[in-house]
Amino acid sequence: MFKALSDRVNNIFNKRLLIYTVVFFLFFSSVMGRLFYLQIVKYEKYKNLSENNRIRILRIKADRGFIRDRNGTLLVTNQPSYNLMATKSDIKDFDNLIKKLKDIIEIDEDLVRERYKKAYYYSTFMIYRGLKEQQLSYLLEHHEQFPGIKLDVDTVRSYYDSKSLSHIIGYMGEVTEYDLRKNKGYQVGDLIGKSGVEKVYEDELRGIDGARQVEVDSLGFVSKELSVKKPVKGKNLILSIDYDLQKAVKNIFSDKVGGVVIMNIQTGRILALYSSPTYDLNKFIPFIKKDDWDKIITNPYKPLTNRVIEDAYPPGSVFKILMAYIGLNEGVITFNTQYFCGGKLDFNGYKYGCWKKGGHGNLDLHDAIVQSCDVYFYNVGLVLGINKISEYALNFNLGKKTGIDLPNEKAGIFPTREWKKKRFHQPWYPGETIIASIGQGYISTTPIQIAVMLSALFNGGIVFKPTVVYGFEDKGFIEKKVEINNKLNINKTYAKEILDALYDTVYSKHATGYRARVSKIKIGGKTGTAQVISLKKFKDKDENEIPWKYRDHSWFAGIVPVDSPKYVIVAFVEHGGSGSKGAAPVVGAIANKLVDLGYVSIK
């Protein structure tokens, strides 16, 4: 009996011993596993966390690349900006810090709180950019009263001319949350290109940041530098723009609203591109104040809009240049084909008027271009039909983005039957072809599209993707190649005959573009007067008596020099009245400047 009892006790003891052994083993394994995880697997993480109490990695911002014009004139450089930064982990009492800083600096409290909220625990964020000397001295003398802050020297842009090139260069502003999410190394408060080439070439201009490994004291101030990784400066940008020409264009265009573009038709490079009204880039240095920003964005003339590429308008009679070529190339007319203009075209019971109410009489194509007869091109359009007209127009890049290296380009519209069906759920009517034949109706184009169209017609058919950048300076000069959107087989005989008509448009007895005549060189060109709205009550009024917003848009597209085309000059004046009065004199004066600057010679 005692033996049986002993065996039972031994069995219970052995079972419990086994259970305790297993539990102990599991507990021990768990502890060891955790130690392995913390000390081996997560070693780097916890080592960094520990060392961040005294060792920091501080970013060294790379200098942003400069911007020059094609002749080497420095247009944009950098200047120092003394900034007040803060490290989130070093701030003991954020509310108190803000309160004390507001006694010294006019900080935007809401903005700073937002930056504090977005910043990582050990990273620095911007409190104020552009400290004045007095503020800087005070903070240096009393830095112990502001734990967590750091004074930093960064750079902001410095402009040779802050107004002439605003739409090309573009302004800079702070990174958005979207920029930060893209994880390209930006930090809260960093500046980034917001428009112009500053935006398009941000990656090339910004360079590569370096870093310093430093020891910091209990207030977060650097006490010792341990190592340095040098930053790499951004590439310099070389524009195809000629600053002297650009400045001259600004002065010639004066206070008109609209834009001008001058393009080399053989290379696709832009020599000048000016939009008016412009804005002052210096307002954005070191940062734009709310009042200044509000004034810009509430200005009814929209100074931030680059009218050469961002707004589309009916081209008016400038489009007749392409209509002439389409008619000739399709064989529906010759230069001897005549139509009678009695001041209007009767079609299906509707009357489509010519700008000359008394009519032009019998005209051939040459005179129709010179005198800009609407009725002649109504007839050409009816013979061609909208399918053929739109096919050519789209091939010449009308109604499509050109792909210029500036942001926010608009496509405009060149209508087709399919476009109208999709947009209005209606068929295309012949009357709409008549209107489209003189560049009106649904058509809307940008001045850069007109420049590209004319270039292709007179350079043998290359439809360029225009560019304002010539290349980059890195360890040497790197040229930016110009891309091509399309190649067309242009009939050079037709192009030459049209060019002769464009010359007479400026210089003959009945020239509609005579105000583009200048003394130094012979140019060719075509006026365009684009109706904004049909207002019968103003039909007997003088142009100056009509409210500005109801006046016609004014175009002139010029070719320089006319005997050997090299440059196209397109001027657009918003509500500038007739093309002859508003835009033609602008193009003539610019042609003179091209001679002065040596781009074309006097023969």
Side-chain angles (χ1 to χ4, degrees):
M1 184 182 73
F2 286 107
K3 185 179 184 301
L5 181 62
S6 176
D7 290 343
R8 186 179 174 193
V9 169
N10 284 338
N11 285 338
I12 293 172
F13 176 79
N14 288 336
K15 283 182 181 176
R16 287 182 178 176
L17 180 64
L18 180 62
I19 291 170
Y20 290 145
T21 302
V22 170
V23 169
F24 176 78
F25 179 76
L26 289 175
F27 174 75
F28 183 77
S29 298
S30 172
V31 170
M32 292 304 291
R34 184 63 180 166
L35 284 173
F36 178 81
Y37 176 77
L38 293 174
Q39 295 192 5
I40 305 298
V41 178
K42 290 293 182 179
Y43 171 77
E44 287 298 329
K45 177 184 176 182
Y46 291 105
K47 178 175 178 286
N48 290 337
L49 283 172
S50 172
E51 291 196 346
N52 262 323
N53 287 327
R54 63 182 183 86
I55 297 176
R56 298 277 170 81
I57 303 296
L58 303 180
R59 183 178 58 158
I60 307 174
K61 285 273 303 281
D63 281 343
R64 197 170 177 85
F66 297 162
I67 301 176
R68 303 176 191 271
D69 83 339
R70 64 187 299 121
N71 299 315
T73 303
L74 268 173
L75 303 173
V76 185
T77 55
N78 299 324
Q79 60 178 317
S81 171
Y82 296 97
N83 304 332
L84 182 61
M85 312 289 289
T87 304
K88 199 170 182 178
S89 59
D90 295 332
I91 298 173
K92 309 302 179 190
D93 185 339
F94 182 66
D95 291 336
N96 188 45
L97 176 66
I98 292 293
K99 185 180 176 184
K100 287 198 294 184
L101 287 174
K102 284 180 73 174
D103 292 335
I104 310 164
I105 310 164
E106 292 180 10
I107 61 174
D108 184 334
E109 185 174 338
D110 292 339
L111 182 60
V112 174
R113 286 187 181 280
E114 187 66 23
R115 290 170 182 164
Y116 175 78
K117 186 178 171 185
K118 290 177 182 174
Y120 292 110
Y121 188 64
Y122 286 115
S123 66
T124 58
F125 64 95
M126 177 75 66
I127 289 185
Y128 189 82
R129 176 177 281 107
L131 289 169
K132 294 175 183 169
E133 190 175 339
Q134 192 177 7
Q135 296 167 330
L136 187 64
S137 299
Y138 184 89
L139 289 167
L140 282 170
E141 290 174 14
H142 302 84
H143 71 275
E144 291 183 355
Q145 298 177 17
F146 304 94
I149 69 162
K150 185 168 79 79
L151 297 170
D152 187 42
V153 183
D154 196 1
T155 58
V156 292
R157 288 309 218 182
S158 175
Y159 302 106
Y160 181 66
D161 180 336
S162 66
K163 292 184 178 177
S164 297
L165 299 126
S166 304
H167 293 94
I168 296 173
I169 292 171
Y171 64 90
M172 295 191 68
E174 283 196 16
V175 291
T176 62
E177 201 162 336
Y178 172 76
D179 297 321
L180 294 171
R181 279 203 305 270
K182 286 199 293 186
N183 193 26
K184 287 192 171 182
Y186 294 104
Q187 294 183 4
V188 176
D190 279 354
L191 296 177
I192 191 173
K194 294 286 185 179
S195 65
V197 293
E198 293 275 28
K199 178 176 182 177
V200 174
Y201 295 97
E202 169 69 20
D203 289 345
E204 289 83 358
L205 285 166
R206 68 179 292 212
I208 302 171
D209 292 340
R212 298 164 63 208
Q213 187 181 33
V214 298
E215 276 187 7
V216 296
D217 60 20
S218 59
L219 296 176
F221 287 91
V222 175
S223 59
K224 185 179 178 183
E225 186 172 273
L226 301 175
S227 63
V228 176
K229 179 186 175 187
K230 292 182 179 178
V232 179
K233 182 180 179 292
K235 296 172 186 171
N236 292 337
L237 208 61
I238 312 300
L239 302 180
S240 60
I241 301 296
D242 182 321
Y243 170 68
D244 291 333
L245 180 61
Q246 179 81 14
K247 188 176 179 183
V249 170
K250 177 178 179 292
N251 293 334
I252 291 167
F253 205 72
S254 188
D255 58 354
K256 297 178 179 66
V257 177
V260 172
V261 58
I262 304 165
M263 177 175 163
N264 184 320
I265 71 170
Q266 302 299 338
T267 66
R269 298 192 187 280
I270 304 292
L271 266 70
L273 187 155
Y274 180 69
S275 179
S276 176
T278 186
Y279 60 94
D280 189 349
L281 288 170
N282 279 336
K283 295 288 185 188
F284 292 83
I285 302 301
F287 63 92
I288 190 161
K289 296 179 175 61
K290 186 176 183 308
D291 287 349
D292 289 330
W293 178 250
D294 289 345
K295 283 179 187 173
I296 290 176
I297 62 174
T298 58
N299 186 327
Y301 298 104
K302 303 185 294 181
L304 288 180
T305 300
N306 183 345
R307 286 172 163 79
V308 176
I309 67 168
E310 293 183 48
D311 265 352
Y313 314 85
S317 296
V318 169
F319 182 63
K320 291 171 183 172
I321 301 171
L322 185 57
M323 280 294 294
Y325 180 77
I326 303 171
L328 290 168
N329 205 46
E330 286 299 307
V332 301
I333 55 170
T334 68
F335 255 79
N336 296 320
T337 301
Q338 292 194 349
Y339 286 108
F340 176 76
C341 171
K344 62 179 181 298
L345 174 73
D346 291 321
F347 183 81
N348 287 348
Y350 293 94
K351 292 181 173 54
Y352 299 87
C354 182
W355 70 267
K356 189 174 183 180
K357 294 172 187 173
H360 291 94
N362 278 316
L363 290 164
D364 60 17
L365 179 59
H366 182 96
D367 287 342
I369 294 173
V370 171
Q371 299 183 48
S372 198
C373 176
D374 292 332
V375 170
Y376 190 96
F377 288 97
Y378 292 155
N379 283 291
V380 177
L382 283 172
V383 179
L384 285 168
I386 191 61
N387 289 353
K388 193 56 70 178
I389 296 171
S390 57
E391 176 190 331
Y392 273 80
L394 292 169
N395 282 338
F396 275 87
N397 221 95
L398 295 181
K400 296 196 289 188
K401 294 181 182 179
T402 65
I404 188 172
D405 48 351
L406 289 173
N408 305 321
E409 183 183 12
K410 295 291 184 296
I413 297 170
F414 203 94
T416 61
R417 293 180 189 278
E418 294 74 23
W419 172 85
K420 192 187 174 192
K421 188 73 177 173
K422 186 177 179 182
R423 178 77 177 268
F424 298 110
H425 307 290
Q426 291 179 359
W428 185 267
Y429 299 111
E432 292 167 330
T433 302
I434 292 173
I435 299 300
S437 301
I438 61 165
Q440 293 277 176
Y442 298 118
I443 302 173
S444 65
T445 61
T446 59
I448 191 68
Q449 287 175 12
I450 297 298
V452 169
M453 176 197 81
L454 283 186
S455 295
L457 186 57
F458 297 116
N459 71 13
I462 302 174
V463 183
F464 282 113
K465 184 183 285 187
T467 176
V468 295
V469 168
Y470 191 68
F472 309 93
E473 279 180 350
D474 194 4
K475 294 176 181 176
F477 178 72
I478 305 166
E479 184 174 339
K480 179 182 183 290
K481 291 184 179 178
V482 181
E483 297 178 48
I484 294 170
N485 282 324
N486 201 2
K487 281 188 177 178
L488 305 171
N489 186 19
I490 296 293
N491 185 310
K492 293 182 180 177
T493 300
Y494 298 151
K496 176 67 172 62
E497 288 177 337
I498 292 171
L499 201 58
D500 290 342
L502 295 180
Y503 172 79
D504 282 343
T505 300
V506 179
Y507 294 98
S508 69
K509 181 181 176 182
H510 298 291
T512 49
Y514 69 94
R515 287 188 173 89
R517 291 177 195 169
V518 286
S519 58
K520 297 178 182 175
I521 193 172
K522 300 295 184 186
I523 75 170
K526 182 76 192 76
T527 57
T529 306
Q531 195 176 52
V532 174
I533 189 169
S534 178
L535 291 175
K536 293 180 181 178
K537 66 179 180 179
F538 295 132
K539 67 179 182 179
D540 297 323
K541 299 270 186 190
D542 183 78
E543 196 169 273
N544 294 328
E545 297 175 313
I546 301 173
W548 181 80
K549 65 180 181 180
Y550 297 132
R551 295 177 193 171
D552 297 334
H553 294 319
S554 177
W555 290 85
F556 192 87
I559 308 294
V560 182
V562 71
D563 54 347
S564 179
K566 192 171 181 184
Y567 302 102
V568 56
I569 309 170
V570 175
F572 167 79
V573 184
E574 194 168 314
H575 304 295
S578 72
S580 175
K581 290 181 183 177
V586 171
V587 172
I590 292 172
N592 263 344
K593 193 64 185 177
L594 284 174
V595 177
D596 293 342
L597 293 173
Y599 285 99
V600 288
S601 57
I602 307 170
K603 293 183 178 178

